[in-house]
PDB file of all heavy atoms in Angstrom:
ATOM      1  N   GLU A  11       3.971 -14.301   2.821  1.00  0.00           N
ATOM      2  CA  GLU A  11       3.970 -15.761   2.638  1.00  0.00           C
ATOM      3  C   GLU A  11       4.018 -16.468   3.986  1.00  0.00           C
ATOM      4  O   GLU A  11       3.311 -17.456   4.210  1.00  0.00           O
ATOM      5  CB  GLU A  11       5.156 -16.210   1.784  1.00  0.00           C
ATOM      6  CG  GLU A  11       5.094 -15.777   0.337  1.00  0.00           C
ATOM      7  CD  GLU A  11       5.638 -14.368   0.108  1.00  0.00           C
ATOM      8  OE1 GLU A  11       6.316 -13.814   1.016  1.00  0.00           O
ATOM      9  OE2 GLU A  11       5.383 -13.815  -0.957  1.00  0.00           O
ATOM     10  N   PHE A  12       4.840 -15.952   4.884  1.00  0.00           N
ATOM     11  CA  PHE A  12       4.963 -16.551   6.216  1.00  0.00           C
ATOM     12  C   PHE A  12       3.641 -16.412   6.973  1.00  0.00           C
ATOM     13  O   PHE A  12       3.166 -17.362   7.602  1.00  0.00           O
ATOM     14  CB  PHE A  12       6.102 -15.881   6.995  1.00  0.00           C
ATOM     15  CG  PHE A  12       6.281 -16.411   8.390  1.00  0.00           C
ATOM     16  CD1 PHE A  12       6.875 -17.639   8.606  1.00  0.00           C
ATOM     17  CD2 PHE A  12       5.843 -15.684   9.487  1.00  0.00           C
ATOM     18  CE1 PHE A  12       7.043 -18.131   9.892  1.00  0.00           C
ATOM     19  CE2 PHE A  12       6.005 -16.170  10.775  1.00  0.00           C
ATOM     20  CZ  PHE A  12       6.602 -17.395  10.974  1.00  0.00           C
ATOM     21  N   LYS A  13       3.041 -15.224   6.895  1.00  0.00           N
ATOM     22  CA  LYS A  13       1.770 -14.992   7.583  1.00  0.00           C
ATOM     23  C   LYS A  13       0.685 -15.927   7.047  1.00  0.00           C
ATOM     24  O   LYS A  13      -0.103 -16.486   7.817  1.00  0.00           O
ATOM     25  CB  LYS A  13       1.329 -13.545   7.414  1.00  0.00           C
ATOM     26  CG  LYS A  13       2.200 -12.554   8.142  1.00  0.00           C
ATOM     27  CD  LYS A  13       1.729 -11.137   7.868  1.00  0.00           C
ATOM     28  CE  LYS A  13       2.600 -10.110   8.526  1.00  0.00           C
ATOM     29  NZ  LYS A  13       2.142  -8.734   8.264  1.00  0.00           N
ATOM     30  N   ALA A  14       0.654 -16.106   5.736  1.00  0.00           N
ATOM     31  CA  ALA A  14      -0.339 -16.993   5.132  1.00  0.00           C
ATOM     32  C   ALA A  14      -0.127 -18.431   5.578  1.00  0.00           C
ATOM     33  O   ALA A  14      -1.086 -19.150   5.864  1.00  0.00           O
ATOM     34  CB  ALA A  14      -0.272 -16.887   3.617  1.00  0.00           C
ATOM     35  N   LYS A  15       1.134 -18.841   5.646  1.00  0.00           N
ATOM     36  CA  LYS A  15       1.449 -20.213   6.069  1.00  0.00           C
ATOM     37  C   LYS A  15       0.976 -20.452   7.499  1.00  0.00           C
ATOM     38  O   LYS A  15       0.346 -21.471   7.799  1.00  0.00           O
ATOM     39  CB  LYS A  15       2.957 -20.430   5.957  1.00  0.00           C
ATOM     40  CG  LYS A  15       3.416 -21.816   6.298  1.00  0.00           C
ATOM     41  CD  LYS A  15       4.922 -21.937   6.098  1.00  0.00           C
ATOM     42  CE  LYS A  15       5.417 -23.322   6.455  1.00  0.00           C
ATOM     43  NZ  LYS A  15       6.881 -23.429   6.293  1.00  0.00           N
ATOM     44  N   VAL A  16       1.239 -19.488   8.375  1.00  0.00           N
ATOM     45  CA  VAL A  16       0.815 -19.608   9.775  1.00  0.00           C
ATOM     46  C   VAL A  16      -0.708 -19.609   9.868  1.00  0.00           C
ATOM     47  O   VAL A  16      -1.296 -20.440  10.578  1.00  0.00           O
ATOM     48  CB  VAL A  16       1.423 -18.471  10.620  1.00  0.00           C
ATOM     49  CG1 VAL A  16       0.853 -18.474  12.020  1.00  0.00           C
ATOM     50  CG2 VAL A  16       2.942 -18.592  10.671  1.00  0.00           C
ATOM     51  N   ALA A  17      -1.365 -18.710   9.136  1.00  0.00           N
ATOM     52  CA  ALA A  17      -2.825 -18.614   9.196  1.00  0.00           C
ATOM     53  C   ALA A  17      -3.486 -19.883   8.674  1.00  0.00           C
ATOM     54  O   ALA A  17      -4.472 -20.362   9.240  1.00  0.00           O
ATOM     55  CB  ALA A  17      -3.293 -17.397   8.409  1.00  0.00           C
ATOM     56  N   LEU A  18      -2.954 -20.447   7.593  1.00  0.00           N
ATOM     57  CA  LEU A  18      -3.524 -21.685   7.055  1.00  0.00           C
ATOM     58  C   LEU A  18      -3.334 -22.850   8.018  1.00  0.00           C
ATOM     59  O   LEU A  18      -4.215 -23.703   8.154  1.00  0.00           O
ATOM     60  CB  LEU A  18      -2.903 -22.006   5.698  1.00  0.00           C
ATOM     61  CG  LEU A  18      -3.355 -21.099   4.559  1.00  0.00           C
ATOM     62  CD1 LEU A  18      -2.542 -21.389   3.301  1.00  0.00           C
ATOM     63  CD2 LEU A  18      -4.829 -21.277   4.281  1.00  0.00           C
ATOM     64  N   THR A  19      -2.178 -22.878   8.683  1.00  0.00           N
ATOM     65  CA  THR A  19      -1.942 -23.910   9.688  1.00  0.00           C
ATOM     66  C   THR A  19      -2.961 -23.775  10.819  1.00  0.00           C
ATOM     67  O   THR A  19      -3.498 -24.773  11.309  1.00  0.00           O
ATOM     68  CB  THR A  19      -0.505 -23.805  10.246  1.00  0.00           C
ATOM     69  OG1 THR A  19       0.420 -23.880   9.164  1.00  0.00           O
ATOM     70  CG2 THR A  19      -0.224 -24.904  11.247  1.00  0.00           C
ATOM     71  N   ALA A  20      -3.250 -22.548  11.219  1.00  0.00           N
ATOM     72  CA  ALA A  20      -4.235 -22.314  12.283  1.00  0.00           C
ATOM     73  C   ALA A  20      -5.640 -22.700  11.833  1.00  0.00           C
ATOM     74  O   ALA A  20      -6.429 -23.222  12.624  1.00  0.00           O
ATOM     75  CB  ALA A  20      -4.190 -20.849  12.715  1.00  0.00           C
ATOM     76  N   LEU A  21      -5.946 -22.459  10.567  1.00  0.00           N
ATOM     77  CA  LEU A  21      -7.277 -22.811  10.056  1.00  0.00           C
ATOM     78  C   LEU A  21      -7.509 -24.317  10.020  1.00  0.00           C
ATOM     79  O   LEU A  21      -8.645 -24.769  10.159  1.00  0.00           O
ATOM     80  CB  LEU A  21      -7.474 -22.249   8.658  1.00  0.00           C
ATOM     81  CG  LEU A  21      -7.884 -20.792   8.568  1.00  0.00           C
ATOM     82  CD1 LEU A  21      -7.939 -20.340   7.120  1.00  0.00           C
ATOM     83  CD2 LEU A  21      -9.228 -20.562   9.232  1.00  0.00           C
ATOM     84  N   LYS A  22      -6.453 -25.068   9.819  1.00  0.00           N
ATOM     85  CA  LYS A  22      -6.593 -26.526   9.780  1.00  0.00           C
ATOM     86  C   LYS A  22      -7.136 -27.060  11.090  1.00  0.00           C
ATOM     87  O   LYS A  22      -7.875 -28.043  11.102  1.00  0.00           O
ATOM     88  CB  LYS A  22      -5.252 -27.186   9.467  1.00  0.00           C
ATOM     89  CG  LYS A  22      -4.813 -27.001   8.037  1.00  0.00           C
ATOM     90  CD  LYS A  22      -3.492 -27.692   7.797  1.00  0.00           C
ATOM     91  CE  LYS A  22      -2.964 -27.437   6.405  1.00  0.00           C
ATOM     92  NZ  LYS A  22      -1.633 -28.025   6.201  1.00  0.00           N
ATOM     93  N   GLY A  23      -6.765 -26.438  12.204  1.00  0.00           N
ATOM     94  CA  GLY A  23      -7.280 -26.840  13.504  1.00  0.00           C
ATOM     95  C   GLY A  23      -6.644 -28.086  14.075  1.00  0.00           C
ATOM     96  O   GLY A  23      -7.161 -28.666  15.031  1.00  0.00           O
ATOM     97  N   ILE A  30       1.109 -23.769  17.628  1.00  0.00           N
ATOM     98  CA  ILE A  30       1.511 -23.135  16.367  1.00  0.00           C
ATOM     99  C   ILE A  30       2.492 -21.996  16.647  1.00  0.00           C
ATOM    100  O   ILE A  30       3.505 -21.850  15.952  1.00  0.00           O
ATOM    101  CB  ILE A  30       0.271 -22.619  15.605  1.00  0.00           C
ATOM    102  CG1 ILE A  30      -0.604 -23.798  15.182  1.00  0.00           C
ATOM    103  CG2 ILE A  30       0.677 -21.779  14.401  1.00  0.00           C
ATOM    104  CD1 ILE A  30      -1.961 -23.408  14.663  1.00  0.00           C
ATOM    105  N   PHE A  34       6.389 -21.820  15.190  1.00  0.00           N
ATOM    106  CA  PHE A  34       6.880 -20.767  14.307  1.00  0.00           C
ATOM    107  C   PHE A  34       7.629 -19.661  15.053  1.00  0.00           C
ATOM    108  O   PHE A  34       8.051 -18.675  14.448  1.00  0.00           O
ATOM    109  CB  PHE A  34       5.719 -20.152  13.511  1.00  0.00           C
ATOM    110  CG  PHE A  34       5.138 -21.088  12.489  1.00  0.00           C
ATOM    111  CD1 PHE A  34       3.926 -21.726  12.707  1.00  0.00           C
ATOM    112  CD2 PHE A  34       5.804 -21.329  11.299  1.00  0.00           C
ATOM    113  CE1 PHE A  34       3.386 -22.579  11.756  1.00  0.00           C
ATOM    114  CE2 PHE A  34       5.274 -22.186  10.345  1.00  0.00           C
ATOM    115  CZ  PHE A  34       4.065 -22.817  10.577  1.00  0.00           C
ATOM    116  N   ILE A  36       6.580 -17.350  17.303  1.00  0.00           N
ATOM    117  CA  ILE A  36       5.892 -16.064  17.314  1.00  0.00           C
ATOM    118  C   ILE A  36       4.934 -16.037  18.496  1.00  0.00           C
ATOM    119  O   ILE A  36       4.711 -17.061  19.160  1.00  0.00           O
ATOM    120  CB  ILE A  36       5.115 -15.808  15.996  1.00  0.00           C
ATOM    121  CG1 ILE A  36       4.105 -16.927  15.742  1.00  0.00           C
ATOM    122  CG2 ILE A  36       6.065 -15.646  14.830  1.00  0.00           C
ATOM    123  CD1 ILE A  36       3.213 -16.691  14.550  1.00  0.00           C
ATOM    124  N   MET A  40      -0.412 -13.142  17.539  1.00  0.00           N
ATOM    125  CA  MET A  40      -0.164 -12.944  16.113  1.00  0.00           C
ATOM    126  C   MET A  40      -0.836 -14.038  15.284  1.00  0.00           C
ATOM    127  O   MET A  40      -1.380 -13.774  14.213  1.00  0.00           O
ATOM    128  CB  MET A  40       1.335 -12.909  15.833  1.00  0.00           C
ATOM    129  CG  MET A  40       2.032 -11.741  16.501  1.00  0.00           C
ATOM    130  SD  MET A  40       3.799 -11.859  16.352  1.00  0.00           S
ATOM    131  CE  MET A  40       4.037 -10.890  14.895  1.00  0.00           C
ATOM    132  N   VAL A  41      -0.812 -15.251  15.808  1.00  0.00           N
ATOM    133  CA  VAL A  41      -1.465 -16.362  15.105  1.00  0.00           C
ATOM    134  C   VAL A  41      -2.960 -16.076  14.965  1.00  0.00           C
ATOM    135  O   VAL A  41      -3.533 -16.202  13.880  1.00  0.00           O
ATOM    136  CB  VAL A  41      -1.231 -17.700  15.847  1.00  0.00           C
ATOM    137  CG1 VAL A  41      -2.018 -18.821  15.195  1.00  0.00           C
ATOM    138  CG2 VAL A  41       0.246 -18.034  15.922  1.00  0.00           C
ATOM    139  N   SER A  42      -3.567 -15.657  16.054  1.00  0.00           N
ATOM    140  CA  SER A  42      -5.003 -15.357  16.037  1.00  0.00           C
ATOM    141  C   SER A  42      -5.321 -14.194  15.107  1.00  0.00           C
ATOM    142  O   SER A  42      -6.301 -14.238  14.348  1.00  0.00           O
ATOM    143  CB  SER A  42      -5.486 -15.021  17.443  1.00  0.00           C
ATOM    144  OG  SER A  42      -5.247 -16.097  18.316  1.00  0.00           O
ATOM    145  N   GLN A  43      -4.495 -13.152  15.145  1.00  0.00           N
ATOM    146  CA  GLN A  43      -4.725 -11.979  14.296  1.00  0.00           C
ATOM    147  C   GLN A  43      -4.600 -12.339  12.825  1.00  0.00           C
ATOM    148  O   GLN A  43      -5.433 -11.949  12.003  1.00  0.00           O
ATOM    149  CB  GLN A  43      -3.728 -10.871  14.653  1.00  0.00           C
ATOM    150  CG  GLN A  43      -3.849  -9.630  13.801  1.00  0.00           C
ATOM    151  CD  GLN A  43      -5.174  -8.929  13.983  1.00  0.00           C
ATOM    152  OE1 GLN A  43      -5.665  -8.814  15.092  1.00  0.00           O
ATOM    153  NE2 GLN A  43      -5.766  -8.476  12.893  1.00  0.00           N
ATOM    154  N   TRP A  44      -3.560 -13.080  12.460  1.00  0.00           N
ATOM    155  CA  TRP A  44      -3.351 -13.453  11.060  1.00  0.00           C
ATOM    156  C   TRP A  44      -4.454 -14.385  10.569  1.00  0.00           C
ATOM    157  O   TRP A  44      -4.884 -14.295   9.424  1.00  0.00           O
ATOM    158  CB  TRP A  44      -1.983 -14.082  10.872  1.00  0.00           C
ATOM    159  CG  TRP A  44      -0.850 -13.132  11.123  1.00  0.00           C
ATOM    160  CD1 TRP A  44      -0.921 -11.766  11.200  1.00  0.00           C
ATOM    161  CD2 TRP A  44       0.503 -13.471  11.353  1.00  0.00           C
ATOM    162  NE1 TRP A  44       0.320 -11.243  11.455  1.00  0.00           N
ATOM    163  CE2 TRP A  44       1.221 -12.263  11.555  1.00  0.00           C
ATOM    164  CE3 TRP A  44       1.205 -14.663  11.423  1.00  0.00           C
ATOM    165  CZ2 TRP A  44       2.577 -12.228  11.798  1.00  0.00           C
ATOM    166  CZ3 TRP A  44       2.568 -14.626  11.677  1.00  0.00           C
ATOM    167  CH2 TRP A  44       3.237 -13.426  11.856  1.00  0.00           C
ATOM    168  N   LYS A  45      -4.933 -15.258  11.435  1.00  0.00           N
ATOM    169  CA  LYS A  45      -6.037 -16.153  11.075  1.00  0.00           C
ATOM    170  C   LYS A  45      -7.300 -15.328  10.822  1.00  0.00           C
ATOM    171  O   LYS A  45      -8.001 -15.536   9.823  1.00  0.00           O
ATOM    172  CB  LYS A  45      -6.278 -17.170  12.195  1.00  0.00           C
ATOM    173  CG  LYS A  45      -7.418 -18.113  11.936  1.00  0.00           C
ATOM    174  CD  LYS A  45      -7.611 -19.053  13.110  1.00  0.00           C
ATOM    175  CE  LYS A  45      -8.845 -19.914  12.960  1.00  0.00           C
ATOM    176  NZ  LYS A  45      -9.053 -20.764  14.138  1.00  0.00           N
ATOM    177  N   ARG A  46      -7.568 -14.368  11.686  1.00  0.00           N
ATOM    178  CA  ARG A  46      -8.737 -13.501  11.535  1.00  0.00           C
ATOM    179  C   ARG A  46      -8.625 -12.671  10.255  1.00  0.00           C
ATOM    180  O   ARG A  46      -9.592 -12.519   9.509  1.00  0.00           O
ATOM    181  CB  ARG A  46      -8.879 -12.587  12.750  1.00  0.00           C
ATOM    182  CG  ARG A  46     -10.157 -11.798  12.767  1.00  0.00           C
ATOM    183  CD  ARG A  46     -10.365 -10.984  14.055  1.00  0.00           C
ATOM    184  NE  ARG A  46      -9.784 -11.582  15.229  1.00  0.00           N
ATOM    185  CZ  ARG A  46      -8.762 -11.058  15.928  1.00  0.00           C
ATOM    186  NH1 ARG A  46      -8.231  -9.916  15.563  1.00  0.00           N
ATOM    187  NH2 ARG A  46      -8.289 -11.656  17.005  1.00  0.00           N
ATOM    188  N   ASP A  47      -7.432 -12.140   9.989  1.00  0.00           N
ATOM    189  CA  ASP A  47      -7.222 -11.364   8.759  1.00  0.00           C
ATOM    190  C   ASP A  47      -7.471 -12.210   7.519  1.00  0.00           C
ATOM    191  O   ASP A  47      -8.077 -11.746   6.547  1.00  0.00           O
ATOM    192  CB  ASP A  47      -5.797 -10.810   8.713  1.00  0.00           C
ATOM    193  CG  ASP A  47      -5.566  -9.697   9.713  1.00  0.00           C
ATOM    194  OD1 ASP A  47      -6.558  -9.143  10.246  1.00  0.00           O
ATOM    195  OD2 ASP A  47      -4.387  -9.380   9.960  1.00  0.00           O
ATOM    196  N   LEU A  48      -7.003 -13.446   7.539  1.00  0.00           N
ATOM    197  CA  LEU A  48      -7.213 -14.344   6.398  1.00  0.00           C
ATOM    198  C   LEU A  48      -8.698 -14.605   6.178  1.00  0.00           C
ATOM    199  O   LEU A  48      -9.190 -14.552   5.055  1.00  0.00           O
ATOM    200  CB  LEU A  48      -6.461 -15.658   6.609  1.00  0.00           C
ATOM    201  CG  LEU A  48      -6.629 -16.702   5.508  1.00  0.00           C
ATOM    202  CD1 LEU A  48      -6.005 -16.203   4.207  1.00  0.00           C
ATOM    203  CD2 LEU A  48      -5.996 -18.018   5.914  1.00  0.00           C
ATOM    204  N   LEU A  49      -9.419 -14.860   7.238  1.00  0.00           N
ATOM    205  CA  LEU A  49     -10.850 -15.126   7.120  1.00  0.00           C
ATOM    206  C   LEU A  49     -11.613 -13.891   6.649  1.00  0.00           C
ATOM    207  O   LEU A  49     -12.530 -13.992   5.825  1.00  0.00           O
ATOM    208  CB  LEU A  49     -11.414 -15.615   8.452  1.00  0.00           C
ATOM    209  CG  LEU A  49     -10.971 -17.018   8.885  1.00  0.00           C
ATOM    210  CD1 LEU A  49     -11.457 -17.310  10.297  1.00  0.00           C
ATOM    211  CD2 LEU A  49     -11.481 -18.064   7.919  1.00  0.00           C
TER     212      LEU A  49
END
Side-chain angles (χ1 to χ4, degrees):
E11 292 85 14
F12 179 76
K13 291 177 182 180
K15 183 178 179 181
V16 173
L18 288 173
T19 304
L21 278 176
K22 288 181 185 176
I30 295 169
F34 291 104
I36 57 174
M40 296 172 94
V41 174
S42 301
Q43 178 64 41
W44 294 345
K45 178 182 173 183
R46 188 174 329 114
D47 289 345
L48 178 66
L49 290 173

